[in-house]
Amino acid sequence: MDDKQIKSKVISSLFWKFMERLGTQGIQFVVQIVLARLILPEEYGTIALITIFISFANVFVQYGFNTALIQKQDANETDFSSVFFLSLVVAGLCYAILFISAPLIADFFENPMLIPLLRVLSTTLFLGGLNSIQNAVVARNLEFKKLFYSSLGAVVGSGTIGIVMAYNGFGAWALVAQQLTNQLMVAGILWFTVKWRPGFLFSLESLKGLFSFGWKLLVSALINMLYNNVQSLFIAKIYNPAMLGYFNRGQQFPSLIVSNINGSIQSVMFPALALKQDNRQRVKEMVRRAIVTSAFFIFPMMVGLAVIAEPLVTILLTDKWLPCVPFLQISCAAFALLPIHTANLQAINALGRSDIFLKLEIIKNVVSLTILGVSLAYGIYAIAAGMFFSSVASSFINAYPNKKLLDYSYVQQLKDVMPSLLLSLAMGGIIYCFLWLNMSPLITLTLQVGVGICIYFGIAKLLKFECLIYLMVTAKEMLDNRRKRE
């Protein structure tokens, strides 16, 4: 495909990926609000703890080979089928380990309910293995419209089941049922919408070739997963499940926003970059566009969310969740830097340099674990603050290789994100003043959101932000092309 065809395909894929994120996460947001009002913080904390162990096992099932299938330009049916059967075998081994280890984990955290909950929820490992192959097929073909239907249908069905069970007093089991149903429905819908089917093919040579690229990503994901969850493990052991519930709930709001926007861009970006991996200048342009666009949307949302945190939690989750507000605000600062992280890493992977990716993960996690070790002595809020400092350090570490690979320096990247950052901070300072007026939480929240949106986009248009102009021109081109087709 030439550049024009790739741009059209990328924009179309980005639209459907964003619609998938917006639709599913929007519904999921409503579901989580309802569940939070029906389920106690300690029950959320228990499921959050179980999810740590399942997520760690999922790294072996899903990571590395999935990305290698997308990155490999001449991947064939043997490659896909071999990875599929390997994923099922690994899922079985991981499930057996978790099943046997459940009593030990429950004893360590002094919570006997962990045993049945962990054993049941771990069955999602098998569905995750299947879904990872289907997602690779979709990503290679940039057919993200199919993910929209599967994700939307799954979140509606699983959300309904979770809410009904929570309303009838099932507590943590309502969350288990929701997650299981979601994975099952995603797998079922993709099975009918994605044409790929596993063949009776298995090749060690094929896996060996994919492994040469994927093993570094697998190790990187393990290291990253370990760091991301070691905080929660410490909190669960040192404090209690309720505090872990507050900590995780505080992260969920900013994570929801970032996964919608940044996740959509990055999901489409990797296969698109892989197509142009031989043209370094074109890769640089695409990476820069991803960083600028992500920052333009994510910075104001993170700043705004941090400012409106207290009235938002009061209205949506009730006062019982107010202890999560400080964690929410700190998480906003950490998640705001994610566009810089992921765009740089996607470029490195698309260029086939998973060796550099692995080195970066090792360096980042040494730095992050050092910060965590220092913060443990100062309490749970210091642990949360350590996430922000780790995020800042990781941004510089991730960007370093692209100074050489793409001639994309620190200074250039800072210049690209600085306009959005400064405007976001100015907007946040203005809407913070509404908290001094002592109005009701609903009125305060409404004014802050409305005024914040007007200020940010109004000034961006007045100052002719390059990103906003690009988005407006692109939207106009899409509408014109659609009219011509009609």
Side-chain angles (χ1 to χ4, degrees):
M1 289 189 289
D2 59 28
D3 285 351
K4 188 174 181 180
Q5 290 175 313
I6 291 176
K7 179 181 178 181
S8 176
K9 190 77 171 178
V10 167
I11 291 174
S12 175
S13 299
L14 182 58
F15 170 78
W16 284 109
K17 186 62 182 177
F18 183 70
M19 288 299 294
E20 179 227 335
R21 292 278 186 170
L22 184 63
T24 57
Q25 297 294 341
I27 296 172
Q28 184 74 5
F29 178 72
V30 175
V31 170
Q32 291 297 326
I33 296 297
V34 176
L35 290 174
R37 300 174 76 96
L38 296 171
I39 296 176
L40 297 174
E42 51 264 34
E43 292 173 322
Y44 259 104
T46 298
I47 297 300
L49 180 58
I50 290 172
T51 303
I52 293 172
F53 294 97
I54 296 175
S55 298
F56 191 76
N58 248 325
V59 172
F60 292 96
V61 178
Q62 297 189 42
Y63 285 82
F65 284 104
N66 173 283
T67 308
L69 286 173
I70 300 173
Q71 196 274 340
K72 185 178 179 181
Q73 291 185 323
D74 58 346
N76 55 37
E77 182 59 34
T78 301
D79 295 324
F80 279 90
S81 295
S82 298
V83 173
F84 170 75
F85 290 115
L86 177 65
S87 296
L88 292 183
V89 171
V90 174
L93 291 173
C94 289
Y95 180 79
I97 292 171
L98 288 176
F99 188 94
I100 295 170
S101 304
L104 298 175
I105 295 172
D107 288 342
F108 181 77
F109 289 101
E110 300 176 355
N111 188 346
M113 273 300 294
L114 289 175
I115 298 175
L117 290 169
L118 179 58
R119 285 175 170 176
V120 173
L121 194 54
S122 295
T123 56
T124 56
L125 292 172
F126 297 98
L127 297 171
L130 172 60
N131 292 341
S132 68
I133 308 301
Q134 293 172 319
N135 285 331
V137 175
V138 170
R140 279 186 64 88
N141 298 321
L142 294 175
E143 295 176 336
F144 289 94
K145 185 176 181 179
K146 295 177 180 178
L147 285 183
F148 169 75
Y149 294 120
S150 64
S151 299
L152 192 64
V155 76
V156 172
S158 63
T160 302
I161 290 173
I163 291 173
V164 170
M165 290 186 65
Y167 181 78
N168 286 280
F170 283 89
W173 283 105
L175 299 174
V176 172
Q178 181 204 9
Q179 293 187 37
L180 269 173
T181 307
N182 183 276
Q183 289 290 311
L184 184 61
M185 293 186 71
V186 167
I189 296 172
L190 284 178
W191 184 260
F192 289 104
T193 56
V194 177
K195 294 181 179 180
W196 178 83
R197 296 289 184 274
F200 292 101
L201 303 168
F202 188 83
S203 169
L204 289 176
E205 284 298 316
S206 175
L207 290 176
K208 184 178 179 181
L210 293 168
F211 189 69
S212 64
F213 175 84
W215 78 267
K216 306 179 190 74
L217 298 181
L218 173 62
V219 175
S220 300
L222 285 171
I223 295 172
N224 194 45
M225 186 67 68
L226 178 64
Y227 169 71
N228 287 339
N229 291 302
V230 73
Q231 295 167 317
S232 296
L233 291 173
F234 275 111
I235 292 170
K237 182 60 179 175
I238 297 172
Y239 299 95
N240 51 60
M243 188 58 72
L244 178 58
Y246 295 133
F247 184 83
N248 276 36
R249 174 59 64 185
Q251 290 183 316
Q252 282 182 348
F253 279 99
S255 176
L256 176 69
I257 294 173
V258 171
S259 64
N260 275 328
I261 299 173
N262 192 64
S264 299
I265 292 174
Q266 305 311 329
S267 296
V268 177
M269 183 182 171
F270 178 69
L273 287 174
L275 290 173
K276 303 298 293 183
Q277 58 186 280
D278 296 329
N279 187 339
R280 297 297 175 94
Q281 181 58 37
R282 183 63 181 136
V283 170
K284 176 183 177 180
E285 292 171 1
M286 296 172 73
V287 171
R288 177 183 174 272
R289 178 57 55 199
I291 288 178
V292 172
T293 304
S294 297
F296 181 75
F297 287 108
I298 289 177
F299 282 169
M301 289 186 174
M302 292 297 97
V303 171
L305 182 58
V307 173
I308 67 173
E310 187 170 336
L312 182 68
V313 170
T314 300
I315 293 170
L316 296 181
L317 304 179
T318 71
D319 291 346
K320 72 179 180 182
W321 285 99
L322 280 176
C324 81
V325 169
F327 302 122
L328 192 159
Q329 293 170 326
I330 295 170
S331 296
C332 285
F335 276 102
L337 299 174
L338 199 61
I340 302 173
H341 290 249
T342 49
N344 280 291
L345 292 176
Q346 291 282 43
I348 292 168
N349 280 337
L351 294 173
R353 298 303 305 270
S354 57
D355 57 324
I356 295 178
F357 187 95
L358 175 57
K359 292 176 184 176
L360 294 180
E361 290 301 309
I362 294 173
I363 295 170
K364 284 187 300 182
N365 282 280
V366 168
V367 172
S368 297
L369 288 173
T370 301
I371 294 173
L372 176 61
V374 173
S375 66
L376 284 173
Y378 298 96
I380 190 167
Y381 296 109
I383 294 174
M387 292 191 309
F388 169 69
F389 293 111
S390 297
S391 184
V392 172
S394 296
S395 296
F396 285 95
I397 294 170
N398 289 334
Y400 180 78
N402 285 327
K403 292 170 59 180
K404 181 177 181 180
L405 292 175
L406 300 176
D407 192 28
Y408 194 20
S409 67
Y410 288 140
V411 174
Q412 288 176 303
Q413 295 195 31
L414 285 172
K415 284 182 178 180
D416 283 338
V417 302
M418 194 57 67
S420 297
L421 176 60
L422 294 177
L423 180 54
S424 298
L425 292 174
M427 177 270 294
I430 294 172
I431 65 173
Y432 180 80
C433 298
F434 285 99
L435 296 174
W436 301 341
L437 301 179
N438 295 319
M439 297 180 290
S440 70
L442 181 59
I443 294 175
T444 300
L445 182 64
T446 302
L447 287 174
Q448 286 179 316
V449 173
V451 173
I453 292 173
C454 292
I455 289 174
Y456 186 79
F457 284 99
I459 295 178
K461 187 173 182 180
L462 182 66
L463 297 180
K464 298 180 180 179
F465 271 34
E466 185 269 343
C467 180
L468 181 60
I469 294 173
Y470 174 84
L471 291 172
M472 293 172 66
V473 170
T474 301
K476 185 176 182 301
E477 289 178 355
M478 290 180 66
L479 290 173
D480 290 342
N481 291 334
R482 186 173 181 178
R483 290 195 190 101
K484 290 177 181 177
R485 288 197 299 268
E486 293 175 352

